[in-house]
Amino acid sequence: MAANIRKAAVIGSGVMGASIAAQLANVGISSLLLDIVPTTLTPDEEAKGVSLEHPAVRNRLAANAIAKLPSLKPSPLYDDSFASRITPGNIEDHLSQIRNVDWVIEVVVENLAVKRELLRKIEEHWKPGIVVSSNTSGISINEMAEGCGELFKTHFLGTHFFNPPRYMKLMEVIPGENTDSDIVARIVEASERRLGKGVVIAKDTPNFIANRIGTYGLLVTLQAMVDKGFTVEEVDAVTGPAMGRPKSATFRTLDLVGLDTFVHVANNVFDKVDGGDEKLIFEPPQVLKDMVSRGWIGEKAGQGFYKKIKGEQGSEILSLDLSTMEYSGSKKPASAALEAAKTAKGAINKTKALLGAKDRYSELAWEILKKTLVYSASKVGEIAGSIADIDKAMRWGFNWELGPFELWDAIGLAKSVERMEAEGTVVPSWVKEWVAAGNSSFFLKENAKLLYFNDGKYREMDQSPEIISLATLKEQNKVIRGNGGASLIDIGNGVACLEFHSPNNAIGSDILTMIQQSVDEVRLNYDALIIANEGRHFCVGANIMLLLMEAQDEEWDEVDRIIRQFQNTMMKLKHFEKPVIAAPHLMTLGGGVEVCLPADEVCAYAETYYGLVEVGVGLIPAGGGCKEMALRISRANPKPEIDLQPFINDMFMTIGTAKVSTSANDAKQLGYFRPSDRVIANRDYLIYEAKQSALRFVQAGYDVAPAEKIRVVGADGKAVLKLGALAMKQSGYISDHDLLIAGKLAHVIAGGDVPSGTLVTEQYMLDLEREAFLSLCGEPKTQQRMQHMLAKGKALRN
C-alpha cells in the first residue's frame, strides 16, 4: 500500500508545510505545494512591472518557500536538487489539481475555523480514493470534519508530523470517528516504509499523546522551579541527560519551540479539559505570559530563558532570573546528584544515580518525575491505546531515552508507588492493582520476547517481522562466534550479520580479526554476509588511541603491521566469493567508510553522515579508501581518451577537506556511494533491507568480481593537485602541515610518479597508502592532532 502514494499535495507553505513537502521529495514522492494568493506586490515585483494576476506573483508564497529550503538549517532536504520534485501553486488556481494526487496534507494555521473552511474547498475537488489529512498539533479531527460529507470523512484523518519533519521520527496518526481502517493502514504503512517515521495511533483528544504529556511535564517543571527557588541553569542541569533527556533539557527546549507556540499548545488543553487539577496545571503561568507580552519568546526573537550576546572575548550565554526578570551570566550548578548522574552510564543508571543522591537536585528530579509518571498513567486509554504507544511517542517525539513506563520500571515500580502514596500522591488505581497482583514491572522479557502491560495482563509486543533486532537474536543464542569487538550473528535464510560493539564501534585488531573469521565462517556455512549494528553510530573509524601510542613509542613495525592487517582484511572482504552488504547509519567515518567500500552493495540509512576524515587527525585513508575511490573513477571512465583529472581533483578536495556527507543521498553526490547503492528511510528496517539485498545477490547467482587495474593520472596529475594545494596555502586556507598532508594524499591518489594513464594494481595503490600513512604518523604535528581529537573530540588546526 505504501507504493500507492506516488504524488501528494501540501496546502500551506510555511516552514512546516514546505518541510513536509521536502520530506516527501526526499523519498521520491513529488508534491504540489499550494498557498494563498498574495494581495499586494513586493517592491521587486513592482519594479518588474508585473500585476497581481501574474502567475509568478500568484504562486509567490509557495515558490519562495521552495527556494528557501536549501538554506534552512538544519536542511529539510537530503539533496538540494530534490527541491525540483516540488511544484509551487496557489489555492485559487490549482486546488483542482488535487484530483491527480494520492494524498492531500493540510498544513495551514492552527485555527479550527480556517481548517474547516479549507476542508470544504478541498472536498469540492476531491474524489474517492484520495487520502486527506491535517497536520495539526492538537485540534480535534472530528471537529474539523464537521460539515463534510460522510464519504469524505472516511478518507480524512490527522497526521501530526513533528518538527523538523526530516529528523523527528514520530508521526502521530489520528483517525476520526468515521475514518476507514484501510485508509489508516495505508497512511501508517506509507509513513513508516516510505517516509521513515515511527507511527503511533493517537486518540482524538487535545494535543494527542506526545504534546499532551510533554507540555504537562514542562509545566510541572516550571511550577516546581518557582516553588522551590531553582534557577534556569539548575533546572536544565537536572532535566537534561541526567534524566535521560536531550541536552536542550527544559528551557533550551522552550526557547527552541518558541514560548508563544508553547503557550498556544498549553491553552489548547486548558480550553478543552474540564475543571480540576488538570485544568489548573495547563493554565500557562504568569511568567510565561509576561515573557510573551515582552516579545521574549525564545531563539527566533533572540532571547527567551536564555540570551546570547557577543562580547570582546566572544559570545556569552546569559540566563534569565525569573525573580528580577534580568539576564546574567550562566553559572554551572554542581552537586552530588548531578555528579553521580554524569559519571553513570546509560539513561537507567543516570536516573537512578540522580534520584539516589538525596540532595535538593535529587528532590527536584523526583518531584518532576513523580508527577509526569502518574499523569502518563492516568491518560492510558484516554489519549493512547497502550503504555507502549505512550512510551514510543515520548521517545520519538521528545527524544527521551526512556518512555514514562520504561522509566518507572527503571526506578523500581513497587518501591516508587509506595513512596508516592506515602507523600500523598494519588496513583491511578490500575497501577496499584497491577502492583498488588505481584507485578514488579510494566515490561517483561520472557524467552527473548518483550511483553508489556495491556488491559490487566502481559501481552506480547507487536512487531513487524521485517524489523530485525540483533539484540533479540543474541538473546536467542544466534551468535555464531564473537570477541570483545564484534560478533557474527545468524539472522536466518543463510545470511549472517557481522555486528561491531567496541567502544564507539572504533575498529581495532579484534574487529579486524572477527571480519576475517566471519568471511571464513560464511564461506563454509552461509550464503551471504551483511555488516550492520545497532550502535548509536555505525563506526567512528579506526582506534587512533592505539595508533598514537605505537607512534609515540616509535614502534613503526607495529604500526605497519596494523595497517597491513586493515588493508588485507578489506581485500579479503572485497574478493570474497559470496555477497557482502554493508548497512551504515549515522556517523560512518574514516575506517568505517573503508569497511563499507569493499561491499557489493551498500544499504544506507538516509541519515548517514559518511566521509574519509583521516586528514582531520593529520593522516590519510590507508585501509583502501584512497585506492577504492581512485578505482571507482577509473572504472566509470574506462576509455583512455577520457581525462580523469577533473574527477581526481574533486576526490582530492573531498578527502583533503575531510568532507562528510549530510545524508546518504549526499554521499552519492560526493562519489562515496554508487548509483546502485540503496537509501533506506527508516532505520528500523535497515538490517532487513540489507538482508533482502544479500538474498537477491544469492538468488541471481553471485560471481565474485575479478581483480581490476586502476588507470591513474600519475606524476603530471599529482603536480596539478599539489599546485592546487599550494594555492590554498598561499591564500591562507590551509597550514604548512595541511600542505604536507595534501602532498602525501596527492601522491597516493594520483598513483605516484608513474606516467599518466598507467594501469596499476590494487596492491600497488595500497602500498602507496601505507607508506604515506607511516610517514605522517612520525610527524609531531600529526601526533598533536591525534592527541587533540582524543581529548577534545574535534580537529586541531596546527
Side-chain angles (χ1 to χ4, degrees):
M1 288 190 290
N4 292 333
I5 304 294
R6 298 175 298 274
K7 190 172 182 180
V10 179
I11 304 177
S13 67
V15 172
M16 193 64 182
S19 296
I20 289 172
Q23 183 60 15
L24 293 168
N26 285 337
V27 300
I29 299 173
S30 60
S31 65
L32 182 65
L33 182 62
L34 306 181
D35 212 314
I36 60 174
V37 175
T39 56
T40 59
L41 294 172
T42 66
D44 185 54
E45 289 167 343
E46 289 178 346
K48 290 178 179 178
V50 297
S51 72
L52 286 171
E53 296 307 310
H54 193 283
V57 176
R58 294 177 71 81
N59 298 341
R60 184 215 307 153
L61 295 179
N64 286 352
I66 296 168
K68 289 177 182 176
L69 285 173
S71 64
L72 294 179
K73 301 296 179 186
S75 175
L77 294 164
Y78 292 161
D79 186 296
D80 288 351
S81 67
F82 290 174
S84 65
R85 297 172 178 173
I86 310 171
T87 303
N90 68 79
I91 295 172
E92 291 182 19
D93 301 332
H94 305 111
L95 192 59
S96 62
Q97 293 184 19
I98 67 170
R99 290 176 173 271
N100 303 316
V101 308
D102 305 298
W103 184 8
V104 178
I105 308 172
E106 168 273 301
V107 199
V108 298
V109 64
E110 285 284 270
N111 179 288
L112 178 59
V114 173
K115 288 179 181 289
R116 277 179 173 169
E117 182 182 357
L118 178 58
L119 287 179
R120 283 196 293 271
K121 290 180 180 179
I122 290 172
E123 189 175 9
E124 291 175 8
H125 302 283
W126 173 82
K127 62 181 182 181
I130 300 171
V131 181
V132 180
S133 71
S134 172
N135 180 69
T136 174
S137 60
I139 296 178
S140 170
I141 301 304
N142 291 314
E143 290 182 19
M144 253 188 265
E146 286 179 8
C148 294
E150 293 305 310
L151 185 58
F152 181 87
K153 288 179 181 178
T154 65
H155 288 66
F156 177 65
L157 71 166
T159 50
H160 181 203
F161 289 79
F162 273 62
N163 192 28
R166 170 181 165 182
Y167 301 94
M168 294 301 292
K169 182 172 181 176
L170 180 61
M171 163 85 87
E172 290 178 327
V173 170
I174 311 100
E177 58 188 16
N178 301 111
T179 310
D180 188 279
S181 60
D182 287 342
I183 294 295
V184 175
R186 184 180 177 193
I187 290 303
V188 167
E189 185 178 358
S191 300
E192 288 181 343
R193 299 308 303 264
R194 293 291 298 280
L195 294 174
K197 297 298 174 188
V199 175
V200 172
I201 302 295
K203 308 273 189 175
D204 188 19
T205 56
N207 290 3
F208 312 128
I209 303 173
N211 277 345
R212 183 73 169 266
I213 292 173
T215 302
Y216 177 89
L218 286 167
L219 288 169
V220 297
T221 300
L222 188 56
Q223 182 185 61
M225 168 191 178
V226 173
D227 291 347
K228 298 179 183 297
F230 285 93
T231 66
V232 165
E233 300 99 314
E234 287 176 323
V235 171
D236 274 359
V238 170
T239 59
M243 203 181 275
R245 297 182 185 176
K247 290 181 180 179
S248 57
T250 296
F251 295 112
R252 283 189 175 86
T253 296
L254 282 171
D255 279 356
L256 287 168
V257 169
L259 272 66
D260 53 340
T261 301
F262 179 77
V263 167
H264 172 78
V265 171
N267 277 328
N268 193 48
V269 180
F270 178 79
D271 293 339
K272 293 287 185 180
V273 298
D274 295 331
D277 293 342
E278 184 176 20
K279 193 172 185 71
L280 289 175
I281 284 291
F282 278 95
E283 181 176 12
Q286 191 60 44
V287 66
L288 285 183
K289 296 176 184 177
D290 290 346
M291 290 176 71
V292 171
S293 68
R294 295 182 187 213
W296 298 358
I297 56 175
E299 200 166 89
K300 58 189 174 184
Q303 65 187 100
F305 286 99
Y306 291 96
K307 181 179 180 180
K308 187 175 183 179
I309 61 170
K310 292 183 178 179
E312 294 182 1
Q313 304 300 319
S315 297
E316 182 183 4
I317 303 295
L318 307 180
S319 61
L320 183 64
D321 184 334
L322 297 188
S323 63
T324 64
M325 296 302 283
E326 294 180 354
Y327 290 94
S328 60
S330 296
K331 298 176 183 177
K332 190 175 182 179
S335 81
L338 295 175
E339 189 59 33
K342 183 178 179 180
T343 57
K345 299 295 183 182
I348 292 175
N349 291 326
K350 284 181 179 296
T351 306
K352 284 182 175 180
L354 179 65
L355 294 175
K358 303 302 181 187
D359 62 15
R360 63 191 296 264
Y361 295 101
S362 177
E363 290 302 313
L364 175 64
W366 168 250
E367 183 71 13
I368 294 167
L369 285 177
K370 173 179 67 173
K371 290 182 177 178
T372 304
L373 298 182
V374 167
Y375 184 74
S376 299
S378 73
K379 295 301 160 188
V380 175
E382 178 184 337
I383 66 174
S386 71
I387 65 168
D389 286 341
I390 290 177
D391 275 6
K392 289 175 185 175
M394 299 316 297
R395 289 201 314 270
W396 297 341
F398 276 73
N399 291 323
W400 292 5
E401 290 189 50
L402 299 169
F405 298 96
E406 293 167 320
L407 181 57
W408 211 335
D409 280 357
I411 65 174
L413 176 57
K415 186 177 178 181
S416 60
V417 167
E418 182 180 350
R419 179 179 175 184
M420 290 172 185
E421 292 199 286
E423 294 172 353
T425 300
V426 179
V427 178
S429 59
W430 72 263
V431 176
K432 293 192 290 184
E433 290 168 4
W434 182 247
V435 172
N439 299 294
S440 58
S441 65
F442 293 115
F443 295 92
L444 180 68
K445 272 284 182 72
E446 190 174 88
N447 298 323
K449 293 181 178 180
L450 182 60
L451 309 178
Y452 72 107
F453 168 88
N454 191 338
D455 197 21
K457 58 184 176 181
Y458 282 120
R459 299 178 187 271
E460 187 174 340
M461 187 79 75
D462 291 331
Q463 182 163 298
S464 167
E466 296 181 359
I467 297 177
I468 296 175
S469 166
L470 297 181
T472 299
L473 289 170
K474 288 194 285 188
E475 290 174 359
Q476 295 171 348
N477 299 316
K478 297 294 184 179
V479 175
I480 303 162
R481 58 172 63 195
N483 61 26
S487 296
L488 185 67
I489 303 164
D490 185 342
I491 62 172
N493 303 104
V495 180
C497 177
L498 176 63
E499 175 204 35
F500 299 167
H501 46 66
S502 63
N504 296 317
N505 286 343
I507 299 171
S509 182
D510 49 0
I511 285 181
L512 295 175
T513 298
M514 267 307 304
I515 293 174
Q516 295 196 28
Q517 291 178 355
S518 296
V519 168
D520 294 338
E521 179 72 35
V522 171
R523 177 181 291 115
L524 293 175
N525 299 309
Y526 293 86
D527 297 324
L529 173 68
I530 70 170
I531 303 174
N533 64 69
E534 295 172 334
R536 181 178 179 186
H537 300 290
F538 178 78
C539 178
V540 299
N543 186 339
I544 60 173
M545 170 70 82
L546 175 62
L547 287 168
L548 177 61
M549 290 170 59
E550 300 294 355
Q552 289 176 333
D553 291 341
E554 299 186 358
E555 295 288 348
W556 306 120
D557 287 345
E558 182 59 21
V559 175
D560 181 77
R561 185 197 68 78
I562 292 170
I563 302 308
R564 284 180 187 272
Q565 183 188 17
F566 202 141
Q567 291 181 342
N568 292 340
T569 303
M570 295 307 102
M571 288 293 281
K572 190 169 184 176
L573 263 183
K574 179 172 182 176
H575 296 292
F576 184 36
E577 60 272 20
K578 293 187 177 182
V580 176
I581 310 296
H585 65 271
L586 296 179
M587 288 296 182
T588 305
L589 306 175
V593 172
E594 291 176 307
V595 166
C596 297
L597 289 174
D600 296 292
E601 183 176 277
V602 173
C603 283
Y605 174 42
E607 300 298 341
T608 295
Y609 314 121
Y610 200 84
L612 293 167
V613 297
E614 286 83 352
V615 167
V617 289
L619 299 167
I620 68 159
C626 296
K627 178 262 295 182
E628 281 297 317
M629 298 304 288
L631 174 58
R632 289 186 180 184
I633 291 172
S634 174
R635 183 189 297 147
N637 303 278
K639 295 181 180 179
E641 61 270 22
I642 297 177
D643 184 9
L644 298 180
Q645 193 70 49
F647 306 104
I648 291 292
N649 291 347
D650 288 345
M651 191 248 288
F652 176 70
M653 284 298 295
T654 297
I655 299 176
T657 57
K659 186 173 286 187
V660 177
S661 73
T662 57
S663 68
N665 291 94
D666 186 46
K668 285 193 176 188
Q669 296 298 318
L670 293 174
Y672 285 132
F673 291 156
R674 298 155 292 202
S676 58
D677 289 333
R678 301 173 62 206
V679 177
I680 310 301
N682 192 327
R683 185 180 164 189
D684 293 342
Y685 296 92
L686 185 60
I687 296 175
Y688 170 82
E689 292 293 347
K691 178 181 175 181
Q692 297 312 300
S693 287
L695 292 174
R696 281 192 290 272
F697 274 96
V698 173
Q699 291 158 7
Y702 181 76
D703 288 321
V704 64
E708 297 176 77
K709 289 198 171 181
I710 304 167
R711 185 162 67 98
V712 297
V713 295
D716 291 343
K718 179 173 77 170
V720 172
L721 299 177
K722 294 182 73 172
L723 186 62
L726 180 60
M728 292 183 71
K729 168 66 177 63
Q730 292 173 338
S731 299
Y733 290 110
I734 62 175
S735 67
D736 287 335
H737 193 52
D738 291 325
L739 185 62
L740 173 67
I741 299 165
K744 301 283 187 182
L745 177 62
H747 182 73
V748 174
I749 66 173
D753 293 319
V754 299
S756 178
T758 299
L759 294 174
V760 301
T761 64
E762 290 186 69
Q763 188 57 55
Y764 169 84
M765 293 290 285
L766 290 173
D767 291 343
L768 292 181
E769 285 185 2
R770 191 175 65 258
E771 291 162 6
F773 189 96
L774 278 166
S775 67
L776 286 169
C777 277
E779 294 287 337
K781 287 190 175 181
T782 284
Q783 293 180 17
Q784 289 170 13
R785 289 190 179 192
M786 296 167 76
Q787 184 75 53
H788 191 268
M789 179 62 72
L790 288 167
K792 305 291 186 180
K794 57 185 178 181
L796 171 68
R797 297 301 303 275
N798 59 353

